[in-house]
Structures are given as structure tokens and as C-alpha cells.
Amino acid sequence: MTSQPEKHRITHIAEALQAHGHRLTEPRQALIEVLVGSEQHLDHAEILARAQQRIPQLGRATVYRTLELLTGLGLIHATYLGDGRQRFCVPSGGHHHHLICNHCGTVTDLDHCLLDDGLERFAQQHDFTVESHLVELYGICHDCQKAA
Amino acid sequence: MTSQPEKHRITHIAEALQAHGHRLTEPRQALIEVLVGSEQHLDHAEILARAQQRIPQLGRATVYRTLELLTGLGLIHATYLGDGRQRFCVPSGGHHHHLICNHCGTVTDLDHCLLDDGLERFAQQHDFTVESHLVELYGICHDCQKAA
DNA sequence: CTTGCTGCAAAATTTTTGCACGAAT
DNA sequence: ATTCGTGCAAAAATTTTGCAGCAAG
């Protein structure tokens, strides 16, 4: 029941936005807050709905435009959790890795990165600078294995 | 100038389809052939267009339905190459890993899996059976680094 | 002030659905 | 024979666009 740590990250993303020459507006603030404040991975519609709780007249188009902007700057990441729907999250802590159950659809977040070590070495071999990465593991979760 | 190896894989996917109790129809055959026969990662529209070269009257809906079916069975995989568009590929050889340049958009396929070793061990710790996985590395490619 | 950003509403695009016919098993 | 799968066309849902007014820097 606090918004202390969120405030901090809001500032972080917001500042990065401005650092790139973009304006920090009310709608953008709201959208960033929604993203930071959620433990879930939200899609366009969910993000819009939540942001409209603060700014009722906020338009769909703004959500699309802002999400594209933030994604392009690498300030947020898109993820794909098996339902073909694009979702977004703040890459805070660096864990945008998921275990996705093909059976029940449950998504478990991983706080440990499976690649970290091999990544840099690998990228250098390929002369490729990795700015971000996406790892999704699809399979059968603990509970569904028992159930079957 | 050969279709020998492709024929083999077509059979593989087709058989798996039937093994799951689904019918092997003309449209499905065509779609599988398109997927297997392409080195690219195609989206719905591209797959439709190519399949229609063989079956002109093939409908959009069938493409959506078949792609969903094959994906659900794990016979093909969805990938996300940075443009927010869902694409599909046959997981033959097991390399559905990509280097995606954030600057020019070029996609480079990796034939070596970055996870392989750690994967099984890791999954066991989490009591999760990995059926497939997706790894995408976003960054700046060789050429764009020079250009910049 | 000057631009960039926004909301609105329309347009374009994409995806889903219902249904009668045809085909695979 | 029986279902399952298909094409068609309409409907629904999603995403994009144009533009006048507002606001951030």
C-alpha cells in the first residue's frame, strides 16, 4: 500500500521519454503509471480501460500511439503469452521471461534470466548488439501435469 | 530444384495432424507446404496469398482456422519479429531463434539454440515441462553499427 | 510562440462467425 | 453414412488516419 517505488520508476520512464525529445503529457503519464502499477501483462484494451479510470476521455488512438512510442524507445516491452494477443510490460528488474502453460494458460514470471551469461559473448560473435530480448517457454505446468 | 526433403516434412506434419484425429484436406496440405517451403517467416496474408496460387478459391477463414489448429498442436510456431505482426514457421531443426535489428528490421535466423543445456535442468527445478520455446534478440546488427 | 500531442470520428484492416455444401474417413 | 472442414459473405473487432484545438516546453 504505497506508491513510493512506483513513483520512482514513473520518473525513470518519463525522463527517458523527455530525454529523447518527447513531451511528458497527462495521458502519457497515466499510461506509464498503468504499466508500472500492474503486475500483469496487459493488452491494448486493458491498458486503455485502466487509464480511462483516471482520464475518462482518453482515446484509443493515444494508447496505440503511446505504446508504439514507448516500445520503439525500448522503455517497455511487448510479450506474447500464447493467445496471439500482444501485451506490454515494463522491463524493470530485467525479467520479461515467462513460463506459459499450454494447457491452462497460466503465466509464471521468471526473475532469473536464462541467457544473461551466454548473451554478450554470443552477440559479439555475431557482431550484433543486443538491446533487449524475449524468452518465452511454452509447456505444461506443475498443476496440469498432476491433473493429467 | 527438388522437393524431396520437403515431401518428407509435409508427411510428418500431416501425419501428426491425422494422429490427433484431424482430417488431412487439400487446403491443409497446401498450407503446410507453403509453410515448409518457405525460408521466410510469413504472416497470415502472405500465407494466404501463396496458398491461393495452388488453390485460388481458398478462403481467409481457412487460413486462420488451420494456423490456429497447427499452432495449438505445436506443429508450427508463432514468432514476433518486431513489427507487431504474428508470423509462423515450421520448427524444423529446432531453430526458431532470431536476431532482429531495431534499426533496419533485418532478421537473422540462428541455427544454434542459446538455451538447450540450461533448459531441461531449469524446467525441472520449476516442475515445468517445456514443449517449445521462443527466443528473440532485438538490437543493432552489424551493418547498422557501421552505418551509425 | 511553436510544435507536438490529443480526442474524436471515420476509414481501413484484420479476425471471427454462421451456414449450407462437399469431402475425408 | 457421418462428421468434419470449407468457402463465402457478413459481422465484429481491431488498428490506423486526418484534423482542429489544446498544451508542454
Side-chain angles (χ1 to χ4, degrees):
Chain A
M1 62 145 63
T2 175
S3 54
Q4 220 74 350
E6 292 182 7
K7 265 283 168 47
H8 183 263
R9 271 184 294 179
I10 289 171
T11 306
H12 171 265
I13 294 182
E15 284 180 353
L17 201 58
Q18 293 179 303
H20 281 275
H22 299 284
R23 290 182 180 172
L24 183 53
T25 64
E26 182 67 9
R28 286 175 180 175
Q29 293 250 35
L31 288 172
I32 292 170
E33 283 177 33
V34 166
L35 288 166
V36 172
S38 170
E39 286 302 315
Q40 312 266 46
H41 298 88
L42 311 172
D43 65 14
H44 282 108
E46 294 166 333
I47 291 169
L48 172 65
R50 296 199 183 195
Q52 283 185 329
Q53 292 181 344
R54 309 192 189 198
I55 307 177
Q57 76 278 17
L58 185 136
R60 292 171 278 291
T62 298
V63 175
Y64 283 99
R65 290 186 282 226
T66 302
L67 252 20
E68 185 184 16
L69 175 63
L70 295 176
T71 301
L73 293 174
L75 299 176
I76 63 174
H77 287 168
T79 60
Y80 307 90
L81 273 27
D83 63 351
R85 193 172 288 285
Q86 187 177 45
R87 292 165 184 283
F88 299 88
C89 65
V90 176
S92 53
H95 59 314
H96 26 291
H97 293 29
H98 308 114
L99 291 178
I100 303 145
C101 182
N102 285 328
H103 195 257
C104 66
T106 299
V107 176
T108 305
D109 282 19
L110 300 184
D111 54 332
H112 172 67
C113 178
L114 293 173
L115 294 179
D116 269 352
D117 357 303
L119 206 55
E120 281 185 38
R121 179 179 47 227
F122 171 84
Q124 285 186 323
Q125 290 176 357
H126 285 256
D127 227 334
F128 188 93
T129 304
V130 178
E131 296 187 329
S132 67
H133 62 273
L134 173 71
V135 177
E136 319 274 39
L137 305 183
Y138 303 96
I140 306 297
C141 75
H142 178 62
D143 292 340
C144 287
Q145 285 179 55
K146 289 194 303 185
Chain B
M1 81 275 320
T2 176
S3 55
Q4 220 75 351
E6 292 182 6
K7 264 282 169 50
H8 182 263
R9 270 184 295 181
I10 290 172
T11 306
H12 172 264
I13 294 181
E15 282 180 354
L17 200 59
Q18 292 179 304
H20 282 274
H22 298 285
R23 293 179 180 173
L24 182 54
T25 63
E26 182 67 11
R28 286 175 180 176
Q29 292 250 35
L31 288 172
I32 292 170
E33 283 177 33
V34 166
L35 288 165
V36 172
S38 170
E39 286 302 315
Q40 311 268 44
H41 298 87
L42 311 172
D43 64 14
H44 282 107
E46 294 166 332
I47 291 168
L48 173 64
R50 295 199 184 196
Q52 283 185 328
Q53 293 182 342
R54 309 190 190 201
I55 306 176
Q57 77 279 17
L58 185 138
R60 294 170 277 289
T62 298
V63 174
Y64 282 100
R65 290 185 280 225
T66 303
L67 252 19
E68 184 183 18
L69 175 64
L70 294 176
T71 302
L73 292 174
L75 299 177
I76 63 174
H77 288 166
T79 61
Y80 307 90
L81 274 26
D83 61 352
R85 192 173 289 284
Q86 189 177 43
R87 293 166 184 282
F88 299 88
C89 65
V90 176
S92 52
H95 60 312
H96 26 291
H97 293 31
H98 308 114
L99 291 178
I100 302 145
C101 181
N102 284 328
H103 194 257
C104 66
T106 299
V107 177
T108 305
D109 283 18
L110 300 184
D111 54 332
H112 172 67
C113 180
L114 293 172
L115 294 178
D116 270 351
D117 358 302
L119 205 54
E120 281 185 37
R121 179 179 48 229
F122 172 84
Q124 284 186 324
Q125 291 176 357
H126 285 256
D127 227 333
F128 187 94
T129 303
V130 178
E131 296 187 330
S132 66
H133 62 275
L134 173 70
V135 177
E136 319 273 39
L137 306 182
Y138 302 96
I140 305 299
C141 73
H142 178 60
D143 293 341
C144 287
Q145 285 180 55
K146 289 194 303 186

